[in-house]
Amino acid sequence: MTLHLRLLLWLLLALALLLVPLGVLTVRQAQRTVQETLERAALSRLGFLLSQGQVRIQDLAQIVQEFGGVGFILGPEGRTAFTDLGDYRLPEGLEETLKRGQSFRQVRDNWLWVALPGDGGGLGLGTPLEEVAALPQRLLQLYLGLGGLLTLLAFVVGAWGLTRSLGPLNMVSRELARRNAENLEPLPPPGLPEVRPAVEAMNALMGELKAALHRLKVQEQAARRFAYGASHELRNPLAALKGYLEVLQRRPGEPRATEGALREAVRMESLLQGLLTLARLEGQGRVRGQPLDLKAFLEPRGLEVAGSGRVEADPDLALLVVENLLQNAHKHAGGVEKVVLEPDAGGIWLWVCDRGPGFPPELLPRAFEAFVKSDQSDGVGLGLALVAAVAQVMGGQARAENCPEGGARVGIWLPAAKG
């Protein structure tokens, strides 16, 4: 069952719960009001007649003609005179009430009896209540006719208003139906304030999905570049090694061929070791570190360090970072200019500044991708990728930037030690 149909049924039930009790109470109140009005009118006419003095049966008959029924006069000796010759019996207790000087009113067998005390007796009348008894049926017919029409009109207006009110929900449904993996744009703000939190939550979810899909695409592209770079870097030493082995096959004992083969084998071993280390780091979760004084850690390795700082880091991984940063500066940037420790945002930056020309602008954004290197470089492009991977597993980050005064600096940020 749809929400629209459910709300319409609830609207119909609410109208029924409102109108049915209201109709019953209205009919009963109308019947009671008519009966009380009839009593007051009859007692008023009887009182006026008593105020005239001697009451004659003919005068009482005129009143009976107005109300219908029968009139009666109680004489001093308990005799009763009726306005016609019908077989009538007065209600029990009527005479005793009049003798006490009190007025009498009672409904018996669908007749209304009223009487007023007089000298030595009293007078009264009895009138049938058929018209009053038929009043609920006539009111009910009117109520069902006119009330049913008004109820139908109210239901139609309510259903129309409900359909209009649910328009923003239908708009959200249509907009959601248009979304797919290629279209995760945010939904437009709805017209209903009650729907806004749900739309905002869906927009946040679609934003996360969009970001996740973008990351997957980036990772897929990076994986393709990684596979291409690895195959390219391995193909070069394999081709060289194959050439040297062919030379040795033709001329056994050739020293230059033997040296070249060993050199290429070492290069392949270094490349494979770097690939294994990078794969291990990228598949590893967060590494629990220990407090490490960077200045005391670096100076025994022959480095002059400006600044100081304590970080949470794994010593072996920190050493791997330092070795790769220094090797990158020596092999590709003319050597190390200085090593700087710089506090920043709850952590410490370890910067290695070099003497080279700086990164080419097109390579700077991709400096930490595997196998990214300049055409003049003879490395394999894994050193800075390892630095970025180590930074990630230790809860830090890596950055490379060109310095305004010349050269470049490459660094890793690590969280400061607690306490």
Side-chain angles (χ1 to χ4, degrees), residues 385-401:
L386 288 172
V387 170
V390 169
Q392 184 176 3
V393 299
M394 289 200 296
Q397 57 178 304
R399 185 189 300 171
E401 53 190 38

mmCIF file of all heavy atoms in Angstrom, residues 385-401:
data_model
loop_
_atom_site.group_PDB
_atom_site.id
_atom_site.type_symbol
_atom_site.label_atom_id
_atom_site.label_comp_id
_atom_site.label_asym_id
_atom_site.label_seq_id
_atom_site.Cartn_x
_atom_site.Cartn_y
_atom_site.Cartn_z
ATOM 1 N N ALA A 385 58.051 6.874 -3.690
ATOM 2 C CA ALA A 385 56.826 6.081 -3.468
ATOM 3 C C ALA A 385 56.915 5.339 -2.138
ATOM 4 O O ALA A 385 55.926 5.235 -1.404
ATOM 5 C CB ALA A 385 56.612 5.114 -4.620
ATOM 6 N N LEU A 386 58.117 4.829 -1.811
ATOM 7 C CA LEU A 386 58.312 4.163 -0.520
ATOM 8 C C LEU A 386 58.170 5.159 0.621
ATOM 9 O O LEU A 386 57.614 4.833 1.676
ATOM 10 C CB LEU A 386 59.686 3.494 -0.473
ATOM 11 C CG LEU A 386 59.852 2.239 -1.332
ATOM 12 C CD1 LEU A 386 61.307 1.797 -1.358
ATOM 13 C CD2 LEU A 386 58.979 1.105 -0.798
ATOM 14 N N VAL A 387 58.666 6.387 0.432
ATOM 15 C CA VAL A 387 58.537 7.416 1.468
ATOM 16 C C VAL A 387 57.054 7.691 1.744
ATOM 17 O O VAL A 387 56.621 7.763 2.903
ATOM 18 C CB VAL A 387 59.263 8.705 1.030
ATOM 19 C CG1 VAL A 387 58.932 9.854 1.985
ATOM 20 C CG2 VAL A 387 60.762 8.474 0.978
ATOM 21 N N ALA A 388 56.245 7.853 0.699
ATOM 22 C CA ALA A 388 54.817 8.119 0.875
ATOM 23 C C ALA A 388 54.116 6.941 1.543
ATOM 24 O O ALA A 388 53.236 7.133 2.397
ATOM 25 C CB ALA A 388 54.172 8.426 -0.472
ATOM 26 N N ALA A 389 54.486 5.719 1.174
ATOM 27 C CA ALA A 389 53.859 4.540 1.781
ATOM 28 C C ALA A 389 54.200 4.433 3.261
ATOM 29 O O ALA A 389 53.341 4.107 4.087
ATOM 30 C CB ALA A 389 54.302 3.273 1.034
ATOM 31 N N VAL A 390 55.440 4.721 3.624
ATOM 32 C CA VAL A 390 55.832 4.684 5.034
ATOM 33 C C VAL A 390 55.077 5.768 5.816
ATOM 34 O O VAL A 390 54.600 5.539 6.937
ATOM 35 C CB VAL A 390 57.352 4.867 5.174
ATOM 36 C CG1 VAL A 390 57.735 5.091 6.635
ATOM 37 C CG2 VAL A 390 58.083 3.654 4.631
ATOM 38 N N ALA A 391 54.971 6.964 5.238
ATOM 39 C CA ALA A 391 54.245 8.040 5.910
ATOM 40 C C ALA A 391 52.808 7.628 6.205
ATOM 41 O O ALA A 391 52.272 7.901 7.284
ATOM 42 C CB ALA A 391 54.274 9.300 5.057
ATOM 43 N N GLN A 392 52.179 6.954 5.262
ATOM 44 C CA GLN A 392 50.785 6.556 5.448
ATOM 45 C C GLN A 392 50.622 5.554 6.577
ATOM 46 O O GLN A 392 49.728 5.690 7.410
ATOM 47 C CB GLN A 392 50.234 5.988 4.147
ATOM 48 C CG GLN A 392 48.753 5.631 4.226
ATOM 49 C CD GLN A 392 48.200 5.163 2.883
ATOM 50 O OE1 GLN A 392 48.936 5.063 1.920
ATOM 51 N NE2 GLN A 392 46.917 4.889 2.847
ATOM 52 N N VAL A 393 51.479 4.537 6.627
ATOM 53 C CA VAL A 393 51.320 3.502 7.665
ATOM 54 C C VAL A 393 51.692 4.034 9.043
ATOM 55 O O VAL A 393 51.290 3.456 10.056
ATOM 56 C CB VAL A 393 52.149 2.245 7.322
ATOM 57 C CG1 VAL A 393 51.706 1.635 6.026
ATOM 58 C CG2 VAL A 393 53.640 2.547 7.305
ATOM 59 N N MET A 394 52.442 5.137 9.123
ATOM 60 C CA MET A 394 52.785 5.705 10.422
ATOM 61 C C MET A 394 51.892 6.890 10.773
ATOM 62 O O MET A 394 52.165 7.641 11.696
ATOM 63 C CB MET A 394 54.258 6.124 10.444
ATOM 64 C CG MET A 394 55.216 4.937 10.454
ATOM 65 S SD MET A 394 56.884 5.335 11.038
ATOM 66 C CE MET A 394 57.430 6.491 9.788
ATOM 67 N N GLY A 395 50.805 7.076 10.019
ATOM 68 C CA GLY A 395 49.865 8.135 10.329
ATOM 69 C C GLY A 395 50.338 9.515 9.948
ATOM 70 O O GLY A 395 49.863 10.507 10.511
ATOM 71 N N GLY A 396 51.240 9.607 8.983
ATOM 72 C CA GLY A 396 51.759 10.897 8.564
ATOM 73 C C GLY A 396 51.425 11.191 7.118
ATOM 74 O O GLY A 396 50.496 10.636 6.544
ATOM 75 N N GLN A 397 52.225 12.062 6.520
ATOM 76 C CA GLN A 397 52.048 12.424 5.121
ATOM 77 C C GLN A 397 53.383 12.858 4.551
ATOM 78 O O GLN A 397 54.316 13.182 5.293
ATOM 79 C CB GLN A 397 51.034 13.561 4.972
ATOM 80 C CG GLN A 397 51.391 14.818 5.756
ATOM 81 C CD GLN A 397 50.391 15.925 5.547
ATOM 82 O OE1 GLN A 397 50.132 16.314 4.420
ATOM 83 N NE2 GLN A 397 49.830 16.449 6.649
ATOM 84 N N ALA A 398 53.482 12.828 3.220
ATOM 85 C CA ALA A 398 54.706 13.219 2.528
ATOM 86 C C ALA A 398 54.402 14.394 1.605
ATOM 87 O O ALA A 398 53.286 14.542 1.118
ATOM 88 C CB ALA A 398 55.264 12.043 1.733
ATOM 89 N N ARG A 399 55.425 15.237 1.389
ATOM 90 C CA ARG A 399 55.241 16.408 0.538
ATOM 91 C C ARG A 399 56.565 16.724 -0.174
ATOM 92 O O ARG A 399 57.639 16.540 0.412
ATOM 93 C CB ARG A 399 54.794 17.607 1.356
ATOM 94 C CG ARG A 399 54.466 18.846 0.528
ATOM 95 C CD ARG A 399 54.233 20.055 1.405
ATOM 96 N NE ARG A 399 53.123 19.867 2.322
ATOM 97 C CZ ARG A 399 52.822 20.709 3.312
ATOM 98 N NH1 ARG A 399 53.582 21.790 3.493
ATOM 99 N NH2 ARG A 399 51.807 20.470 4.099
ATOM 100 N N ALA A 400 56.442 17.177 -1.398
ATOM 101 C CA ALA A 400 57.590 17.632 -2.181
ATOM 102 C C ALA A 400 57.272 19.003 -2.751
ATOM 103 O O ALA A 400 56.161 19.230 -3.240
ATOM 104 C CB ALA A 400 57.906 16.647 -3.300
ATOM 105 N N GLU A 401 58.224 19.918 -2.684
ATOM 106 C CA GLU A 401 57.996 21.261 -3.196
ATOM 107 C C GLU A 401 59.312 21.889 -3.620
ATOM 108 O O GLU A 401 60.378 21.557 -3.078
ATOM 109 C CB GLU A 401 57.296 22.130 -2.158
ATOM 110 C CG GLU A 401 57.983 22.161 -0.813
ATOM 111 C CD GLU A 401 57.145 22.828 0.264
ATOM 112 O OE1 GLU A 401 55.913 22.636 0.270
ATOM 113 O OE2 GLU A 401 57.743 23.534 1.101
#
